[in-house]
Amino acid sequence: MPHSLMYEEDNFVVLETNQPEQFLTAAELLEKLVKTLAGIPFDDLPQDIKKFASVTEQAQHLIDTGCELDMGPGKYLHWYAVRLER
């Protein structure tokens, strides 16, 4: 039986165009995605998140189901769950 720690997503590494990699907590990633999504016109959002009423719900859905957001040609925003040793 897999250990429950394998399914915890408390920390993420974030890769973004022209930025160094960042390590963010789940709350920090949610905040980053909320700000990013708020700056994207509704018509340009991915189809699967248009059904959510709030930007926060959209961002949480992305965290729960994906690992990237299409930012247009030549741009990227990717995130991956990581386990940090303490």
Side-chain angles (χ1 to χ4, degrees), residues 29-72:
L29 176 59
L30 181 65
E31 181 180 335
K32 179 175 190 60
L33 288 174
V34 165
K35 288 178 182 177
T36 301
L37 289 170
I40 298 174
F42 184 79
D43 289 340
D44 294 341
L45 292 174
Q47 281 299 116
D48 64 324
I49 66 170
K50 287 182 179 180
K51 64 184 175 188
F52 295 98
S54 75
V55 177
T56 301
E57 290 174 315
Q58 293 172 344
Q60 188 61 58
H61 178 74
L62 281 174
I63 292 171
D64 293 341
T65 63
C67 62
E68 66 182 336
L69 179 60
D70 183 4
M71 301 297 292

Side-chain angles (χ1 to χ4, degrees), residues 64-85:
D64 293 341
T65 63
C67 62
E68 66 182 336
L69 179 60
D70 183 4
M71 301 297 292
K75 296 181 182 179
Y76 59 89
L77 178 59
H78 300 248
W79 58 92
Y80 303 96
V82 293
R83 190 173 350 162
L84 302 177
E85 292 189 47

